[in-house]
Amino acid sequence: MSDSSGFIKQQVASRLHRPDGSTQTTRAPAVWTLAHRGYSGSGRLDVWVYATKRDALREGAALAIACGLDSEEDQARRDFEAGRYQKVMDCYEKTHPETHLLRVQAAFLQSPG
């Protein structure tokens, strides 16, 4: 059995802003996921799990570049080298068909029962 403790961390699950100006934040255990649906796999959705959001964003940006950004590739490579991974992923989604997906998000774990 593998140790998943490095992957499961408390993340912000919700934030309630009240009229009186106070804020209530709820945290829950979650993992960071990278989801991709593209040309390969007949529309299959692939999901990977990462220990940190930054790791997931970096891998997602690398995947976006590997999947091809055509005329935007030079800017995407500069953004990647500068650590602007979300910009690379946003460019991928903007320049690819609506059926494609490349996203990083927290996946919250459900407690049994």
Side-chain angles (χ1 to χ4, degrees), residues 6-21:
F7 286 81
I8 301 171
K9 298 182 177 127
Q10 295 291 316
Q11 302 294 337
V12 174
S14 67
R15 187 166 284 136
L16 175 64
H17 298 274
R18 295 196 174 93
D20 67 2

Side-chain angles (χ1 to χ4, degrees), residues 27-48:
R27 293 183 171 271
V31 295
W32 286 102
T33 60
L34 168 63
H36 176 253
R37 179 183 300 126
Y39 289 117
S40 65
S42 300
R44 176 185 73 220
L45 178 66
D46 294 310
V47 179
W48 297 270

Side-chain angles (χ1 to χ4, degrees), residues 35-40 60-61 63-69 72 76 85-97 99-103:
H36 176 253
R37 179 183 300 126
Y39 289 117
S40 65
L63 180 59
I65 289 172
C67 289
L69 290 174
E72 294 83 9
Y85 306 128
Q86 186 64 59
K87 282 186 77 169
V88 176
M89 293 177 58
D90 291 345
C91 180
Y92 173 89
E93 282 208 338
K94 182 176 146 191
T95 59
H96 283 72
T99 56
H100 289 216
L101 172 86
L102 186 61
R103 302 267 170 80

